[in-house]
Amino acid sequence: MSDRRSYTVVGGGAIGGTLAFHLAKAGHPVVVVDADPEHVAAITARGLTLVRPGGTEQVDLPAYVPDEAPPELGRVLLAVKAQATERAMQWLEPRLARDGFVVSLQNGLNEELIASFVGAERTVGAFVNLFADVAEPGVVRDGGAGALVVGEPDGRISDRVEEVVADLQAWGPAKATANVKGYLWAKLAFGAMLTTTALADAPMADLIDRHRPLMHALAAEVFAAAGPRALEAFDQFDPAAYLPGATGREEATDRLVAWLRTQPKDRSGIWRDIAVRHRPVEVYHHYGPVLDEAARRGVEVPLLKAVLKRLADVESGTAMSEDHLTELEAHL
């Protein structure tokens, strides 16, 4: 394995666990660091298990809680929830080797926060749209393939980006980009749709399909806040169709809904955090920068704010119901 680059995956949940599994299976030395002691104990005892429709596989790799992790880290794949980024970076910064770097394999816009700890020169951006869940400690359920793109936040495709992308072929068709921010902003509009589906206990595809005006208006608000930037399409999400004043939204939504219906995972991770894991969701950290950018540009985003308010209500005990979507749509 001497010719295989080593990685530390910080956050061994849905995204981190999936990538750690595939890298380790391909022969890369991989260490998982996770704050959940039960997850770490299960990986240590039985290995990391990946459950897919075609069967179950297991791979052995070392796993640690943060206090017991190796003292120096090189190539880090950061896959913690957005709200845990600052805490993770406080722990990680003194351990990151001089020639090490952090790849932000997270939802949201976290690269600036990461760079504030370790410097822009040790920060790599990434866009990830994997469908997966932690089924139980030590077990990740693969919920379907999605896009994975890596790039320097300043728009370069560097040697280290090419190396990480080459290694991630162990998972699937990862690729390099000179516009990682264009992917991240596109995902924020798609993510606003998925966030809204977490207000009800029903498949994502069905809710998007039945509430198209609401979903179209949400995406348009996010893109209005984004301003005139180049956006990147991914999977079956075409951001150009959802720009304010654009045409072709119905056809684009047809494709998006049809693709979502092919995914084994039919509910969002946000829904799962509330309904199954009973833990705080991370979307407020995703959309804080969107709200800030909207305010800076003088753009109104009342629908996005209303969705986030209702989501907070559902977290606090208000029942999940499709009525939330119907009521939001009534105010368009």
Side-chain angles (χ1 to χ4, degrees):
M1 295 196 301
S2 60
D3 61 334
R4 300 291 187 179
R5 286 177 281 265
S6 62
Y7 288 89
T8 300
V9 177
V10 178
I15 293 172
T18 298
L19 298 178
F21 175 91
H22 287 288
L23 286 167
K25 185 181 175 184
H28 292 276
V30 177
V31 171
V32 167
V33 179
D34 196 275
D36 182 347
E38 292 185 4
H39 192 49
V40 168
I43 295 172
T44 301
R46 301 186 296 274
L48 179 59
T49 299
L50 187 69
V51 178
R52 289 180 283 196
T56 298
E57 293 184 84
Q58 175 268 334
V59 67
D60 292 324
L61 49 74
Y64 304 95
V65 293
D67 288 347
E68 298 173 0
E72 184 173 82
L73 310 178
R75 294 169 180 261
V76 175
L77 305 184
L78 183 65
V80 300
K81 294 284 189 179
Q83 69 265 35
T85 303
E86 183 169 5
R87 185 169 67 252
M89 291 308 302
Q90 290 171 345
W91 171 85
L92 200 158
E93 184 273 331
R95 292 167 172 80
L96 188 64
R98 282 195 165 196
D99 60 349
F101 57 87
V102 179
V103 184
S104 175
L105 286 159
Q106 304 167 272
N107 290 314
L109 304 168
N110 303 298
E111 286 77 7
E112 287 189 11
L113 177 58
I114 294 167
S116 72
F117 283 91
V118 299
E121 71 282 0
R122 294 196 290 175
T123 303
V124 177
F127 158 81
V128 57
N129 195 42
L130 303 191
F131 287 69
D133 289 309
V134 175
E136 61 184 84
V139 179
V140 174
R141 180 181 293 113
D142 185 350
L148 201 168
V149 182
V150 183
E152 298 286 353
D154 64 7
R156 292 176 299 117
I157 297 178
S158 61
D159 289 345
R160 66 185 181 185
V161 164
E162 295 280 20
E163 289 172 357
V164 170
V165 167
D167 294 343
L168 289 175
Q169 300 307 303
W171 160 80
K175 66 178 185 178
T177 181
N179 185 24
V180 70
K181 290 182 179 178
Y183 282 98
L184 294 173
W185 272 96
K187 175 68 178 290
L188 285 165
F190 177 48
M193 295 182 181
L194 300 187
T195 297
T196 305
T197 69
L199 296 173
D201 185 7
M204 297 179 287
D206 292 349
L207 292 169
I208 291 172
D209 197 11
R210 289 198 291 265
H211 297 276
R212 293 184 179 215
L214 174 62
M215 301 300 170
H216 297 169
L218 272 167
E221 280 193 0
V222 172
F223 288 149
R229 68 176 70 238
L231 300 166
E232 300 285 353
F234 59 90
D235 295 325
Q236 289 298 319
F237 183 73
D238 179 8
Y242 299 100
L243 292 171
T247 59
R249 290 180 183 176
E250 291 298 331
E251 295 82 0
T253 305
D254 287 342
R255 295 189 295 270
L256 178 63
V257 167
W259 175 74
L260 283 170
R261 287 190 171 125
T262 69
Q263 301 295 314
K265 178 178 175 178
D266 69 354
R267 286 163 172 77
S268 72
I270 305 154
W271 175 91
R272 184 175 176 82
D273 279 344
I274 297 172
V276 178
R277 306 199 72 180
H278 309 295
R279 66 181 184 181
V281 300
E282 61 177 339
V283 293
Y284 311 112
H285 294 265
H286 299 167
Y287 291 99
V290 177
L291 298 177
D292 291 344
E293 189 69 9
R296 191 180 72 80
R297 294 180 182 277
V299 173
E300 296 295 327
V301 287
L303 193 54
L304 178 61
K305 290 179 179 178
V307 167
L308 295 175
K309 170 63 170 63
R310 285 188 182 243
L311 190 68
D313 292 341
V314 169
E315 277 192 287
S316 298
T318 299
M320 287 183 173
S321 170
E322 194 168 344
D323 290 345
H324 293 298
L325 284 73
T326 302
E327 291 165 9
L328 287 164
E329 208 161 44
H331 294 288
L332 295 179

